[in-house]
Amino acid sequence: MNFNNNNQIRVRFAPSPTGHLHIGGARTALYNWLFARGHDGVFILRIEDTDLSRSTEQAINQIMNSLRWLGLDWDEGPETGGIYGPYRQMERLDLFRSAAERLLAEGKAYYCYCTHEELEEQRRQARSQGRPVVYQGCCRNLSAEEGRLLREEGRQPVLRMKTPASGLTVVRDVIKGDVKFENAQLGDYILMRSSGVPTYNFAVSVDDATMKISHVIRGDDHLSNTPRQLLLMEALGFQPPVYAHLPLILGADRTPLSKRHGAVSVEEFRSRGFVREALCNYLALLGWSFDSDTNLFSIAELTGKFSLERVGTTAAAFDEDKLTWMNGYYIRNMPAAELAGRIVNFLPTSRLAGLPGRKGKPGVADLVPLVQEKMKTLADFIRLTDFFFLPIKFEAQSLGKLEHDANSTAILRTVSGILNGLTDFSAGHIEEELRQAAAEMEIKLGKFLQPVRIAVSGKLVTPGMFETLAVLGRQESVSRIQTTLAMLEAAQTDNKSI
Ligand code: GLU
């Protein structure tokens, strides 16, 4: 296939900065990035900020941060620059203006002076006569003089495209095949608003052409815009890019994924402790597959394997359980030091901020080996290790167990004595001593350790007990056991529950 003069793959991600990067947008960005990286191509970030009432600087920064966090670096775009810049549409108004003037001069576009009220009336009539509700071309053939008079009335014109009244425009889509649109249904759509700001269709067409985009890969919610963009490319004498429209992403209830379904932005998943490897892997599979049974792909594998031909045509359902499973896989398989680094970066946003590593407390790296196997998200680290840092909170169930086990007090006294006397406070040594004590008291190890677990953590489920004690250290372990013992004894003396 022949594209943009030198046959270089040039793709773009073109978000409208009106909010956080949505999962659907992230998938579009990922597919474009993978396609570029897999073909020695160029990945461009273009900010489509022509919707002035909804675009914000903050959203631009959030989107760029999310892309960077996902590892989707751009070769041309804001901050990076590039020869086809600037990369924010509001900084490209001159380009749109000169394209508009060209269309006007060549008789391919015209000024329309109809007011809102007049347009509304035209629509009403079209509906009542069963005609397509598109602009009927009232201003198509105005003379320069008529235009001047209307302007004198104070009317501010918009610029409209002269769409062919009949015939078909065919979108040759790599994923969907040929999709035909009747020109009569497209109407004479607006290119420039009266404010001088271009519409989405006009800005996209001029930008895709002037940025030498070879492939437009985007959500299929834009498919109906594509014939309008094709007509514009033709009118401007540009060679159109190859189009690939991605299937919709649905929620579990098979309606389009939206806020109603819970977390939908990359930022939300990040703050809930998902890692980029899992999110990229999962998003890659939301619409694309390599074969019927391979699920796990590193970014490098995806780059090598991704192809537009294997993108499906049916909508993909977002399955958070599968994403969570994948996240657990990547966490378990990460080198411990790498995971510790990720957790340290993650913690500042959590309620444990600043606690690990505080003087006298274990550091994240000490705890990772204890919990890595059990973690599915980075947030699980907090759930599994908070008792190392925070005052113990006894779960109601664990207190009940302590009180009802007749051996609790005896076990805690014995263990406190043993731990106090240990010179080598390693997990291995603690294990040896406690196993022996359990055997001597003729109590099964699991049962023997339960009061110890509750005494040092307040919980029924913790990381491995011997490792936990070793990380807590002798002084802290013994002191926690003693405090619990004192509480238990006081309750027994008073004959009431704790
Ligand atoms: N700015 C459009 C959006 O955020 C995307 C335009 C395109 O990819 O053509 O939906």
Side-chain angles (χ1 to χ4, degrees):
M1 211 175 294
N2 180 25
F3 26 81
N4 69 15
N5 309 336
N6 57 3
N7 269 357
Q8 188 187 29
I9 297 275
R10 290 178 55 84
V11 291
R12 82 316 191 264
F13 175 53
S16 302
T18 56
H20 286 285
L21 180 61
H22 185 275
I23 282 298
R27 181 194 60 172
T28 300
L30 175 68
Y31 283 19
N32 277 284
W33 184 89
L34 289 172
F35 189 66
R37 294 292 172 261
H39 292 88
D40 275 335
V42 177
F43 175 61
I44 296 153
L45 175 63
R46 183 171 78 219
I47 303 293
E48 305 210 320
D49 54 354
T50 56
D51 184 344
L52 300 180
S53 61
R54 296 176 62 221
S55 302
T56 66
E57 249 352 90
Q58 190 193 15
I60 296 179
N61 289 326
Q62 284 165 344
I63 290 170
M64 293 202 299
N65 280 340
S66 293
L67 290 173
R68 285 196 193 98
W69 177 74
L70 285 168
L72 307 181
D73 55 336
W74 53 97
D75 307 303
E76 293 175 26
E79 292 178 6
T80 317
I83 52 170
Y84 298 104
Y87 293 90
R88 287 170 63 151
Q89 286 185 325
M90 285 309 286
E91 293 171 9
R92 300 170 63 79
L93 294 182
D94 285 351
L95 270 159
F96 305 132
R97 208 167 292 134
S98 65
E101 277 159 16
R102 189 141 69 83
L103 291 175
L104 200 55
E106 291 171 10
K108 294 172 179 167
Y110 64 93
Y111 282 124
C112 163
Y113 297 87
C114 294
T115 61
H116 284 301
E117 294 70 33
E118 287 163 349
L119 292 171
E120 194 39 59
E121 177 55 23
Q122 290 168 26
R123 278 193 284 266
R124 203 188 53 73
Q125 281 186 13
R127 269 192 293 269
S128 69
Q129 292 164 12
R131 284 184 284 119
V133 185
V134 291
Y135 184 65
Q136 294 303 310
C138 307
C139 297
R140 228 181 207 241
N141 300 309
L142 292 180
S143 67
E145 178 57 14
E146 285 167 322
R148 194 181 59 75
L149 290 173
L150 288 164
R151 246 179 246 258
E152 270 176 21
E153 275 180 28
R155 295 183 184 233
Q156 305 276 332
V158 297
L159 187 72
R160 285 189 187 270
M161 178 74 178
K162 262 189 199 166
T163 307
S166 59
L168 291 176
T169 296
V170 182
V171 177
R172 320 216 91 126
D173 191 89
V174 179
I175 297 166
K176 304 202 178 276
D178 286 359
V179 189
K180 299 187 179 92
F181 293 86
E182 279 184 41
N183 293 333
Q185 301 280 346
L186 302 176
D188 285 354
Y189 44 100
I190 299 178
L191 306 180
M192 286 288 229
R193 303 181 175 96
S194 52
S195 60
V197 175
T199 57
Y200 158 71
N201 277 315
F202 188 46
V204 162
S205 309
V206 172
D207 281 351
D208 285 342
T210 54
M211 290 181 178
K212 307 257 188 292
I213 299 301
S214 64
H215 293 69
V216 167
I217 305 169
R218 62 183 170 197
D220 67 5
D221 47 332
H222 284 294
L223 183 62
S224 61
N225 288 316
T226 310
R228 295 188 171 91
Q229 294 170 22
L230 280 173
L231 288 174
L232 268 166
M233 296 260 177
E234 197 184 308
L236 288 163
F238 296 128
Q239 188 185 340
V242 175
Y243 288 97
H245 286 92
L246 309 173
L248 213 67
I249 301 180
L250 305 177
D253 58 357
R254 312 290 304 172
T255 63
L257 190 68
S258 76
K259 283 210 175 69
R260 285 183 303 110
H261 294 100
V264 284
S265 73
V266 170
E267 196 44 47
E268 281 170 281
F269 284 103
R270 179 185 181 178
S271 68
R272 284 171 53 199
F274 286 87
V275 297
R276 64 172 69 94
E277 292 83 349
L279 214 48
C280 285
N281 187 159
Y282 184 68
L283 288 179
L285 296 179
L286 265 184
W288 171 86
S289 62
F290 179 64
D291 54 27
S292 55
D293 45 37
T294 319
N295 274 308
L296 294 164
F297 298 93
S298 66
I299 303 282
E301 285 167 336
L302 287 174
T303 306
K305 293 189 160 61
F306 180 80
S307 69
L308 291 174
E309 285 67 33
R310 297 205 58 93
V311 173
T313 48
T314 47
F318 188 81
D319 175 355
E320 197 172 310
D321 291 342
K322 187 166 173 187
L323 170 62
T324 307
W325 165 80
M326 239 177 221
N327 208 55
Y329 168 84
Y330 281 103
I331 286 182
R332 280 195 302 283
N333 288 285
M334 215 175 257
E338 171 68 25
L339 179 57
R342 303 278 184 113
I343 295 168
V344 168
N345 285 335
F346 175 74
L347 283 177
T349 55
S350 81
R351 68 194 174 87
L352 272 192
L355 279 177
R358 223 203 239 170
K359 202 163 174 292
K361 306 272 182 191
V364 170
D366 301 318
L367 296 172
V368 163
L370 276 62
V371 294
Q372 184 164 9
E373 283 299 311
K374 295 192 169 72
M375 288 170 62
K376 288 206 176 70
T377 65
L378 298 179
D380 285 344
F381 178 84
I382 298 171
R383 190 175 55 73
L384 293 165
T385 65
D386 57 357
F387 69 89
F388 283 94
F389 312 109
L390 301 172
I392 299 177
K393 270 216 247 107
F394 287 96
E395 290 166 355
Q397 254 194 330
S398 59
L399 268 189
K401 285 240 176 343
L402 255 193
E403 285 176 358
H404 290 116
D405 182 352
N407 292 323
S408 290
T409 323
I411 293 172
L412 289 179
R413 273 200 207 108
T414 307
V415 172
S416 169
I418 292 173
L419 297 180
N420 212 9
L422 280 185
T423 41
D424 171 0
F425 211 73
S426 65
H429 206 210
I430 295 170
E431 175 168 5
E432 227 172 82
E433 295 288 328
L434 296 194
R435 273 186 188 282
Q436 197 183 327
E440 279 165 13
M441 289 177 78
E442 294 180 355
I443 302 175
K444 281 211 184 100
L445 187 66
K447 252 190 146 292
F448 180 82
L449 291 178
Q450 195 177 55
V452 185
R453 185 182 313 281
I454 297 169
V456 300
S457 72
K459 301 180 192 233
L460 288 174
V461 181
T462 64
M465 204 62 255
F466 310 122
E467 292 78 6
T468 297
L469 292 168
V471 171
L472 276 173
R474 175 171 351 123
Q475 205 188 336
E476 184 67 19
S477 302
V478 171
S479 133
R480 288 184 183 197
I481 293 173
Q482 287 294 340
T483 309
T484 311
L485 250 180
M487 217 167 62
L488 208 52
E489 283 166 349
Q492 275 159 2
T493 323
D494 297 354
N495 200 14
K496 59 178 192 220
S497 45
I498 300 174

